[in-house]
Amino acid sequence: MIKHLNDIQDLSSDQIEQLITLAEDMMTDRAKYQSALAHRTLATLFFEPSTRTRLSFEAAMLELGGNVIGFADPNSSSATKGESVADTIRTVACYSDIIVMRHPKEGAPIAASLRSPVPIINAGDGGHHHPTQTLADLFTIRREKGRFEGLTVGLCGDLKFGRTVHSLIHAMARYEGVRFALISPQELRTPDYILEGLRARPNVSYEETDSLESVIPRLDILYMTRVQRERFFNEADYVRLKDSYILTLKTLADAKDSLTILHPLPRVNEIAVEVDDDPRACYFKQMYYGKVIRKALLATMLGVAL
Ligand code: NCD
């Protein structure tokens, strides 16, 4: 039973496997699940912009026969009148069976879960975590590679503020023999609290570098990320760092044919559009898998016997 999902660490490896198995069955036999969540309501509370996360959750709920309410713009909610997150949650819990929430403040979903009688799913809290993006990433890796163990995973871009990277590192560090290449400018290195977690795992190794070219030949997965403009304190720093890495077909010339290129999206400049037609580009498939694994998550968290 998954009560709330704040951090990917809230899920055991067995629970991740069960979600993947259910998602695969949902993909094979979509009709079987079309009324699984009939008469249940999902509320999506997005205090920060979103396209994929919110719409994939909504599509997931609708495909399971459920209902959706919510807001995509906090300016249209009572947050602008000064209402606390706790009060908003207690209210919305009267109208829904499960709540998906994105918030600019780190820890807001935990605060919400403490006051919520219904399950809360963290859809991204500031520069902290994004566990359901990680489920999408894991599901894609499993579909593409057939395994998690023994992979060399390059994470490139804004490793400081990129919440998807933090959650993915936590998740992949569980698997035997995973090697991380953490590729970023000096100013956007992976936070220490994430590295500490890695150092505590003798089964994995990591290296930090600012050179994508030097590590790309060894990678099985390349996870590109956007420089997170909204988390910068000044625009000049963002402008200086935003184009630190741009993946092109030329950069990919030295990569393995079996490389899997991922990106949580949205992309700005960090992957040239010419890469989209390369068979190694998997970021749009990743969006599709994200919807399917969110279906599995909603059905599981709502405790529906399937
Ligand atoms: C990511 C996020 O919101 O953290 N987007 C997403 O949910 N797919 C990545 C990003 O915004 O750069």
Side-chain angles (χ1 to χ4, degrees), residues 52-53 102 123 130 133 163-164 226 228 230 263-266 287:
R52 277 146 287 270
T53 306
R102 170 171 288 184
H130 193 347
Q133 180 61 46
R163 55 194 174 195
T164 65
R226 172 180 72 90
Q228 306 279 298
E230 62 276 35
H263 189 311
L265 302 183
M287 301 308 118

Side-chain angles (χ1 to χ4, degrees), residues 47-199:
F47 295 88
E48 266 195 347
S50 169
T51 298
R52 277 146 287 270
T53 306
R54 185 175 62 84
L55 294 181
S56 67
F57 263 115
E58 296 192 359
M61 192 66 181
L62 295 173
E63 286 182 20
L64 293 168
N67 310 305
V68 179
I69 59 171
F71 57 80
D73 175 6
N75 293 322
S76 68
S77 81
S78 285
T80 53
K81 299 181 186 170
E83 185 174 53
S84 70
V85 167
D87 285 2
T88 304
I89 291 292
R90 288 181 76 174
T91 305
V92 174
C94 300
Y95 314 142
S96 60
D97 301 290
I98 189 162
I99 296 173
V100 175
M101 167 185 173
R102 170 171 288 184
H103 201 281
K105 286 218 171 75
E106 285 84 1
I110 291 198
S113 64
L114 295 175
R115 301 311 302 260
S116 177
V118 306
I120 301 282
I121 298 175
N122 177 6
D125 60 325
H128 207 202
H129 292 303
H130 193 347
T132 69
Q133 180 61 46
T134 299
L135 289 175
D137 303 339
L138 292 175
F139 190 31
T140 312
I141 293 171
R142 176 57 70 76
R143 301 282 304 172
E144 292 297 311
K145 294 284 184 247
R147 67 183 209 280
F148 298 129
E149 292 76 13
L151 295 172
T152 301
V153 183
L155 299 133
C156 179
D158 186 347
L159 309 188
K160 178 178 180 185
F161 297 119
R163 55 194 174 195
T164 65
V165 168
H166 303 159
S167 297
L168 184 58
I169 291 176
H170 272 155
M172 286 298 290
R174 302 168 184 215
Y175 300 102
E176 202 57 44
V178 170
R179 291 171 297 271
F180 293 97
L182 305 173
I183 309 148
S184 72
Q186 189 63 20
E187 293 97 320
L188 298 179
R189 286 176 50 204
T190 317
D192 255 345
Y193 77 94
I194 302 284
L195 294 180
E196 267 163 34
L198 276 183
R199 287 194 284 268

Side-chain angles (χ1 to χ4, degrees), residues 40 53 59 66 79 87 182 214 253 259 283 295:
R40 307 295 185 100
T53 306
D87 285 2
L182 305 173
S214 68
L259 177 71
Y283 29 93
K295 286 173 80 169

